[in-house]
Structure formats: C-alpha cells, structure tokens
Amino acid sequence: MPDQTVQDAARTWPLEGLARVPYWVFQRDDVYSREQTRLFQGPYWHFLCLEAEIPEPGDFRTTHVGDTPVIVARDQDGEIYVFENRCAHRGALICLKDRGRAKDFSCVYHAWTYDLRGNLTGVAFREGIKGQGGMSPGFRMEDHAPRRLRVALVHGLVFGSFSDEVPPVEEYLGEEILGRIGRVFAGRTPVVLGRFTQMLPNNWKLYVENVKDSYHASILHLFFTTFQLNRLSMKGGIIVDPTGGHHVSWSAVDHTVQRDAEYAKQNIRSDSGYTLADPSLLDGFAEFPDGVTLQILSVFPGFVLQQIQNSIAVRQILPRGTHRTALNWTYLGFAEDAPEQRRARLKQANLVGPAGYISMEDGCVGGFVQRGIAGAAEECAVLEMGGTTAESSPSRVTEASVRGFWKAYRNGMGL
C-alpha cells in the first residue's frame, strides 16, 4: 500500500505507473531522506568492496551504505566484519583512512578503541585519575558499539545490509543474476588494476537509469557505433529479474556482419568519421565461451558489474544529496591473466572511464537531465520504449529494465 506520509508530502505517482517517472523524485529532500531509511538501511544488500582488497587479517576498507560510513575489516579468524564507522561515544569517525591494515581502530577524539569486529575494547581514562572522574560504575563496554551489518560474499564481492529481514543474498539475487555474476568471475582470482571516483552532477537514480538504459548506449556514445562495439542491431537482449531491481543487458559483436543500415534509417547522429591513431586500443582476446562481448549487470539499488570487451569493472553508486552522486570504479583483472591479457585490460579501461569515451558522456548527460528538469517537478519522464511493463526482452530497443528499477524503487519506498 502506498505510504501516506510520502504521498501527502510529495505528489501521487502518475496513473500510467511504470511508464512515467515524476521529476520531483529526483529533486526533493524529503524523498532523499526517506531513501536513506527505507532503501539504504532497509531490506537490501549493498556492495561494499572486493575480498581481494582485504586479503589478510587486519586489512580494512572504509566505504558507505548510502550516506552511512562503514568499515569493512578482516579479523584474525579470517572472517569479514562490517560495522558503522561511528564512535559509540560522541559519533566521530573511528577510521579516517580509505584502506590499510590495523590491529584495532581508535577514535582520535577521545581514544575509544574498537577491535576488528567492531567491539568496544577500550575507553581512555575509564577509571578516572586518582579515584576522581571516569565513567559511571554501571558502564559496560559490551553495551556500546557501532551498529553491525550482515555480510554476504558472492564470487569475491562483499555485500552488507543493515537489515535482519533481507533474504540470503543468493535468494535476493536469484539464480539468473547469480549465474551472470559467476560467468564474469568464472572461478578466477580477482586482482584490482585501479580505482577512482567520478563525481556526477545529478541524482543517484538518474545514473541508475542510465546504466539500465540500453536504448541510449549506441546513440549517446558515438564511439560504440563508430567502432562497432555496441549497436542495437547486434545480437543481444535484456534480462529483468522478477523484482525489477536487478538486470542484465548483453550483446555480442559479430565482426563478419557488415555495417547495417538501421542507424542511417533513423536519420540520427550515429557513426562518426573519426579513427583511432592507435587502433590497438580495441584489441582484445577471446575470454568468454558464450561470445558475449558486452554485459552490464546491476543489483538493486546501487551496484554495477561491467564487462565491455575485456574491461571488467565494478561500480558502486553512492548518493551525495539530491543533486550529486559519487561513482566509485574499481577495475579488475585476474591473477590467472597472461601479461598481454593484463595490458589489453588496461588499454580497454580507457574506453569507459570518465577520461575515456563512455562514462564521460554518461556523467554529462545526467547533469543535462538534472538541469533540464529544474522548475518542472510536476512533469514526468516518458518510459514507453518497448512497452509499459518490466519484463525480459530479446530486444535492447526497450526501457524495460529502467521500468524495472522504478518497480523495485516504488515497492521499497511505498510510492
């Protein structure tokens, strides 16, 4: 049932359902605040980091679940623990570094100390000095700790959730999505090749829409069509899971097929006359037996697994207010890679990063939308390409997976 408080504060969702998205959902502070509670601290799994980033006891990463800072640490028992990066005393950050190795964490404010599981293990001057001051006699350290998250591992990906109600991650993902993640990792040992953060000038949901929007990819990104990397006329399809929140878009390059005329018929900007001074940027190697050369996979609400040719990356989408998003990229190779395969991955990474040809444009166009909808809160986006439902499709000329996101979002938000 729609949540009345949100309906009263905002506007009701358009009667067209999944085929319309009201622009106020990208603009309102009260909607953003509710997302933090219902989605990011609700019954959902959130990508945190890779196991490969914290291989040894004592290794840690800091990251966020929505706005909430968290620490991901591997304890001496080899297990991974996740807890808020928030001192139980006065709320300061416990850890100030992005990554590293530690025996414990000590808050710089008053030196309250926590072990690698998030347990409070020390309080400076707890007994006071010379019998004066100190904590009250009834104070118990075991009663005070930052909140801990549930942890789940999927093919070397670390997920966390604040919720005790979220189903096991295998059930959450479903067999088809889980299989598609396993297809990319294929039992290999991930190695981090590089990482960076791209700041986007738009609401986080506009980027999620972009990721799920197979319709735009070969139109906005001239590079894709010019060099035959991704065209809607190629073999491919869309998978939308029953919740709508997770999706896969895939395609396969067939270099034996001549450039088709479908784009010319549309009279749109498609192929360019540009060439590459160094065509080896496009050189790759046969990696997957199914011949799929592009697979973009998303897990609700904010995780993306990318395979474009041999460029493998994970993306973490983090809201930073109604008009700003942090997009964390981590590029991957595998310990089993030959040196020439590693070089190919690094070269191809230039295709899709913010300094390359793809994500630079996605970053810009999200900002164009955020600026374009200013003053138009009552208006709506139209999502009718490929129908009005959120179902898997053999065609990528569809917005079915975008509608799927809104199906899951509305369900989670009570809208």
Side-chain angles (χ1 to χ4, degrees), residues 4 14 23 42 49 73 78 93 222-224 308 348 361 375 395 415:
Q4 193 62 39
Y23 292 138
C49 68
L93 292 171
L222 210 57
F223 189 87
F224 270 154
I308 299 178
Q348 290 179 18
E361 296 163 329
S395 169
L415 287 170

Side-chain angles (χ1 to χ4, degrees), residues 346-359:
L346 290 170
K347 271 197 168 184
Q348 290 179 18
N350 292 292
L351 292 173
V352 291
Y357 300 95
I358 309 299
S359 197

Side-chain angles (χ1 to χ4, degrees), residues 111-127:
W112 284 34
T113 303
Y114 301 85
D115 65 16
L116 297 170
R117 303 184 184 193
N119 298 310
L120 177 62
T121 56
V123 173
F125 300 109
R126 179 182 177 184
E127 306 297 333

Side-chain angles (χ1 to χ4, degrees), residues 32 64 66-67 196-204 207 316-329 353-355 359-368:
Y32 181 86
H64 291 78
D67 282 341
F196 52 81
T197 297
Q198 180 182 5
M199 296 307 300
L200 304 175
N202 51 265
N203 187 277
W204 68 278
Y207 185 75
Q316 181 190 33
I317 303 168
L318 293 176
R320 287 294 175 267
T322 56
H323 290 56
R324 194 168 168 82
T325 300
L327 179 59
N328 291 331
W329 293 73
S359 197
M360 170 185 66
E361 296 163 329
D362 287 332
C364 287
V365 83
F368 295 164

Side-chain angles (χ1 to χ4, degrees), residues 165-332:
E165 299 175 1
V166 65
V169 73
E170 293 81 6
E171 180 183 338
Y172 180 80
L173 295 171
E175 186 175 343
E176 195 156 26
I177 300 297
L178 198 59
R180 286 283 181 161
I181 295 174
R183 170 191 166 274
V184 173
F185 289 95
R188 297 175 290 183
T189 307
V191 174
V192 175
L193 300 183
R195 56 170 73 84
F196 52 81
T197 297
Q198 180 182 5
M199 296 307 300
L200 304 175
N202 51 265
N203 187 277
W204 68 278
K205 300 185 291 297
L206 288 173
Y207 185 75
V208 177
E209 281 194 327
N210 176 279
V211 165
K212 293 172 176 285
D213 179 7
S214 56
Y215 176 35
H216 90 282
S218 62
I219 299 174
L220 173 66
H221 305 307
L222 210 57
F223 189 87
F224 270 154
T225 45
T226 298
F227 297 101
Q228 301 284 301
L229 296 176
N230 183 13
R231 298 170 74 91
L232 290 171
S233 48
M234 290 175 174
K235 178 184 177 183
I238 297 290
I239 299 168
V240 183
D241 88 307
T243 72
H246 319 317
H247 103 291
V248 176
S249 173
W250 66 274
S251 62
V253 172
D254 185 350
H255 293 290
T256 65
V257 175
Q258 296 298 311
R259 185 167 298 198
D260 59 71
E262 293 297 331
Y263 283 77
K265 289 180 184 176
Q266 304 299 319
N267 193 29
I268 59 174
R269 184 182 72 108
S270 57
D271 303 307
S272 77
Y274 289 106
T275 59
L276 291 169
D278 178 9
S280 69
L281 179 68
L282 302 177
D283 290 346
F285 56 94
E287 184 171 7
F288 300 99
D290 58 10
V292 170
T293 49
L294 182 147
Q295 176 182 289
I296 302 296
L297 180 152
S298 67
V299 173
F300 188 87
F303 171 72
V304 181
L305 174 60
Q306 161 206 301
Q307 176 227 330
I308 299 178
Q309 305 284 81
N310 304 112
S311 178
I312 313 294
V314 294
R315 309 177 199 167
Q316 181 190 33
I317 303 168
L318 293 176
R320 287 294 175 267
T322 56
H323 290 56
R324 194 168 168 82
T325 300
L327 179 59
N328 291 331
W329 293 73
T330 305
Y331 283 105
L332 301 178

